[in-house]
Amino acid sequence: MPFREGVRFHAMREGHCWIQAKGLPPLLLENGDVLLLPHGTEHTMSDRPKRRTLPLADVKPALIGNGTYELKSGGGGARLLIACCTIGFEGPTANPLLELLPSVMHIRHAEHGDTDLPSLIAMMAREAEAQRIGSATIMARLADIVMTQVIRTWVETCSDDLTGWLAAVQDPQIGSALARIHRSPGEDWPVDRLAALSGLSRSRFSQRFKSLLSVSPARYLLQWRLRLAASWLRNGYMSQSQIASELGYDSDASFSRAFKRFMGVSPGAIRDSGLRVSGTES
């Protein structure tokens, strides 16, 4: 399965298979499990680990509906049935948020008590098989819900092991500060104000924030603004002047300087080429 822009998930409906994501060890996906790949990561699917695999294009999936394909392969071995989906996002904040998620999120059926997730996936599978009027619309809506439910279940199931941004989101005080920053990135957010709104002293807030996110609140705000800017530029949501104003910059020039210092390229370079970059301000 080659890299594809968007979020991918695989839901095992029957049997089991091995997923090998690029750069990661093989992962066993068993009946009832769901695997989320938030970054569209290249990966293979096989009955045994490290098996020789065929490119997806060589297997030639058959189009059975609007944006829906059926793939049949193999024979003679144990039967498996897996529902796969790729979700693209047009919302302006989706891409920066997804970039903060890990490469692989595995929900094991045996380890979570979520009764809704299997029902939602079963509904998707039925719609894919039946191809009734409106199936494409129903599956698209279900895919959004399933993806959100998978992330929620993964966070709740792995809450003791969470680090970084996901752990910060779960923290009552720091999570509320992040929500404010995400909702209003162009607003002025001095540390004193965020600390007061979170019910913590400035020093306690700054210490907890940095211990969870490894950056200061001011640095995080800068990173978030410029991640948003890069996403908006790539997708053409707004002009550079509109983005600068929306994110609280006094002028196009000050925005452009901050962007280039953080991203390593000018705003125009990303807008014109759709370039994906990772910010590393020196």
Side-chain angles (χ1 to χ4, degrees), residues 1 5 19 30 49 62 70 84 92 95 101 118 127 140 145 163 165 200-201 213 226 244 276:
M1 305 281 281
E5 189 76 34
I19 304 283
E30 299 181 286
E70 183 178 54
C84 309
N95 286 348
L101 295 176
E127 290 294 336
I145 297 169
T163 59
W165 183 77
L200 296 172
S201 67
L213 292 157
L226 297 179
R276 279 195 170 278

Side-chain angles (χ1 to χ4, degrees), residues 116-179:
D116 294 330
L117 192 54
S119 299
L120 290 166
I121 293 167
M123 287 175 66
M124 283 190 71
R126 287 197 298 270
E127 290 294 336
E129 291 172 351
Q131 285 299 302
R132 299 167 61 194
I133 295 173
S135 284
T137 300
I138 291 173
M139 284 191 292
R141 301 296 179 269
L142 286 171
D144 290 343
I145 297 169
V146 166
M147 189 207 69
T148 305
Q149 193 80 358
V150 166
I151 294 173
R152 173 195 284 173
T153 302
W154 187 86
V155 168
E156 292 173 350
T157 303
C158 303
S159 58
D160 293 337
D161 301 320
L162 293 178
T163 59
W165 183 77
L166 287 171
V169 170
Q170 286 285 87
D171 183 276
Q173 282 81 28
I174 304 305
S176 69
L178 292 177

Side-chain angles (χ1 to χ4, degrees), residues 6-27:
V7 176
R8 281 176 157 161
F9 70 77
H10 298 306
M12 183 57 65
R13 300 284 300 139
E14 182 180 340
H16 70 272
C17 76
W18 289 86
I19 304 283
Q20 172 77 68
K22 191 174 182 180
L24 295 172
L27 182 69

Side-chain angles (χ1 to χ4, degrees), residues 137-262:
T137 300
I138 291 173
M139 284 191 292
R141 301 296 179 269
L142 286 171
D144 290 343
I145 297 169
V146 166
M147 189 207 69
T148 305
Q149 193 80 358
V150 166
I151 294 173
R152 173 195 284 173
T153 302
W154 187 86
V155 168
E156 292 173 350
T157 303
C158 303
S159 58
D160 293 337
D161 301 320
L162 293 178
T163 59
W165 183 77
L166 287 171
V169 170
Q170 286 285 87
D171 183 276
Q173 282 81 28
I174 304 305
S176 69
L178 292 177
R180 289 184 172 93
I181 290 172
H182 293 165
R183 280 197 299 265
S184 305
E187 195 168 336
D188 187 23
W189 291 115
V191 177
D192 288 344
R193 184 183 177 201
L194 286 172
L197 290 169
S198 302
L200 296 172
S201 67
R202 176 192 172 97
S203 60
R204 181 77 183 277
F205 174 81
S206 297
Q207 182 182 30
R208 187 183 297 184
F209 195 102
K210 191 163 187 178
S211 70
L212 288 169
L213 292 157
S214 301
V215 293
S216 68
R219 174 71 175 177
Y220 183 88
L221 176 60
L222 171 68
Q223 291 176 339
W224 178 246
R225 284 174 172 172
L226 297 179
R227 283 176 186 269
L228 279 178
S231 178
W232 292 347
L233 287 164
R234 280 196 303 268
N235 294 291
Y237 286 111
M238 291 179 257
S239 69
Q240 183 173 322
S241 294
Q242 289 172 318
I243 292 172
S245 176
E246 184 74 17
L247 295 178
Y249 286 90
D250 295 333
S251 66
D252 286 9
S254 62
F255 165 70
S256 185
R257 284 195 298 271
F259 190 93
K260 189 168 184 178
R261 188 166 60 245
F262 181 71

Side-chain angles (χ1 to χ4, degrees), residues 24-64:
L24 295 172
L27 182 69
L28 178 63
L29 201 61
E30 299 181 286
N31 186 26
D33 287 7
V34 182
L35 187 76
L36 193 74
L37 301 165
H39 314 305
T41 306
E42 176 184 333
H43 60 287
T44 63
M45 306 168 69
S46 57
D47 60 337
R48 294 199 299 274
K50 300 182 180 179
R51 285 268 274 179
R52 180 178 175 273
T53 56
L54 295 172
L56 179 64
D58 290 358
V59 184
K60 298 178 180 174
L63 182 65
I64 61 173

